[in-house]
Amino acid sequence: IVHFTVRAPAAFGFNAASVFSHSGHDPVQALKVMNEASMHIGKSILKEEGVVLRYTGMAVIGCFGVPFASTGADDALRACRAALRAYDKFLVLNKKRREAAQDELALSAAVVVGDVTSGTIGFEKLEEYTVMGPVVEVAKRLADAAEEYGGTRLLLTDHVMKDVAAHFVTREADVVRLPGVSADPVRVHMLNNLAKTPPTGEEVKAAGVYKEAYALYQAREMEAAIDKCAEAPNDHLCKALRERCLPFVSGAARLEVDWDGAWVPHSLWHARNGASDADADRADSAGHEHRADDVPVSDDAPAADC
């Protein structure tokens, strides 16, 4: 499964519903933007012989390996290529938008591998092909959470990374919890580029800095993690980790005693706490007590296999 989420300019809000619910916004222009973005993503999926399952507002969901059974040998590979292909299309699209003095669109995507139930749903006058299963929701939650890592972000789960590591440049990014979706923490990686385009010296240095900073963060040494992140100030992951650590250093947030190092993305805080969106926003501005769930993660207990 590959799930794409498009973040529209502030003038359009953050999702399709807000486009039409706020007075003063141009719904015709909003639809034009969504259609152009969806076209590029859909074509990228089809180019890699995938299936476009559905368009839902500012999201596009694609699937590889169904409806026709495959060995699965290259499903993850094609899904990742589709994600990079869409990313390249957005680079061109955003260049045009900048030249027209328009805000850029941010693209995030998550590639997840797993078993699904597939088939048609509906009735004789209106049917559509769909897939169902936990991996579909995992992909959606990760694509939504990818915004936290800054810029355009393409996320892979650990299982996908192992399947495609020889073909792409990747970086381990985080261990996250997805309340209501996965009982086990999920280890995620960034998909950066094709392997034939090796990282620059600066990118290699930034990856090393982030790895050390993340180890300090998981060891609860938040101040040391912030200092380490300062060694790669332009790296998106380092900047995101620094912002995550700051509330714990200032005292605006605190860790549970049994916190295991897994992070609940901001987009899922209300799901974790059972709070409303408004309550989650207030808690976000006030600083959270970041809780641990029941399932620990450590080097000896691998994260969920997705």
Side-chain angles (χ1 to χ4, degrees):
I1 299 293
V2 56
H3 190 290
F4 294 90
T5 298
V6 180
R7 302 290 176 183
F12 295 146
F14 286 103
N15 54 53
S18 65
V19 172
F20 302 105
S21 65
H22 289 72
S23 60
H25 294 167
D26 182 353
V28 175
Q29 179 63 18
L31 275 174
K32 181 179 177 181
V33 170
M34 289 190 289
N35 278 325
E36 186 172 14
S38 298
M39 175 192 70
H40 288 307
I41 296 171
K43 285 185 175 181
S44 297
I45 294 171
L46 295 177
K47 188 72 174 178
E48 294 298 336
E49 301 180 351
V51 175
V52 179
L53 291 175
R54 68 183 71 99
Y55 298 99
T56 57
M58 298 300 282
V60 182
I61 305 170
C63 191
F64 295 79
V66 293
F68 306 107
S70 71
T71 62
D74 67 345
D75 291 340
L77 179 63
R78 290 185 290 116
C80 290
R81 285 202 303 249
L84 284 176
R85 192 181 293 276
Y87 172 74
D88 289 340
K89 293 290 186 182
F90 267 64
L91 290 179
V92 176
L93 174 62
N94 280 327
K95 182 175 183 294
K96 292 179 181 178
R97 293 185 64 82
R98 287 195 301 273
E99 291 171 351
Q102 297 173 327
D103 292 332
E104 296 183 30
L105 302 177
L107 175 70
S108 61
V111 181
V112 180
V113 171
D115 294 331
V116 297
T117 299
S118 64
T120 56
I121 189 169
F123 66 110
E124 63 272 9
K125 292 189 179 295
L126 181 62
E127 289 185 329
E128 68 174 26
Y129 181 80
T130 190
V131 298
M132 297 174 286
V135 294
V136 179
E137 190 63 24
V138 169
K140 178 186 183 302
R141 297 291 182 94
L142 288 180
D144 289 343
E147 183 187 20
E148 290 187 24
Y149 302 104
T152 297
R153 289 295 161 214
L154 312 177
L155 298 185
L156 314 174
T157 57
D158 211 35
H159 190 98
V160 176
M161 192 280 297
K162 292 172 183 175
D163 284 348
V164 305
H167 302 276
F168 302 101
V169 177
T170 64
R171 283 176 59 181
E172 185 168 349
D174 211 352
V175 177
V176 299
R177 288 192 182 282
L178 306 176
V181 178
S182 174
D184 297 326
V186 178
R187 201 175 302 275
V188 295
H189 304 258
M190 293 291 183
L191 174 63
N192 288 344
N193 215 326
L194 294 170
K196 66 181 180 182
T197 307
T200 64
E202 183 178 354
E203 289 170 339
V204 171
K205 176 189 173 183
V209 168
Y210 178 75
K211 185 176 181 179
E212 292 182 41
Y214 192 79
L216 291 167
Y217 154 76
Q218 289 207 308
R220 299 169 172 262
E221 298 180 33
M222 301 298 179
E223 197 162 352
I226 291 172
D227 291 341
K228 176 57 68 172
C229 287
E231 296 179 18
N234 297 320
D235 182 67
H236 283 299
L237 285 179
C238 284
K239 287 192 286 188
L241 184 61
R242 179 181 181 276
E243 291 302 312
R244 183 185 298 183
C245 292
L246 281 172
F248 299 110
V249 173
S250 68
R254 68 181 181 87
L255 293 171
E256 286 286 290
V257 174
D258 58 350
W259 180 66
D260 59 7
W263 179 255
V264 177
H266 289 82
S267 58
L268 300 181
W269 273 0
H270 67 283
R272 181 201 68 190
N273 294 331
S276 65
D277 289 338
D279 288 339
D281 290 340
R282 284 194 293 271
D284 190 4
S285 62
H288 256 280
E289 173 181 305
H290 200 76
R291 295 183 177 276
D293 289 326
D294 295 329
V295 182
V297 63
S298 67
D299 292 337
D300 299 324
D305 192 17
C306 292

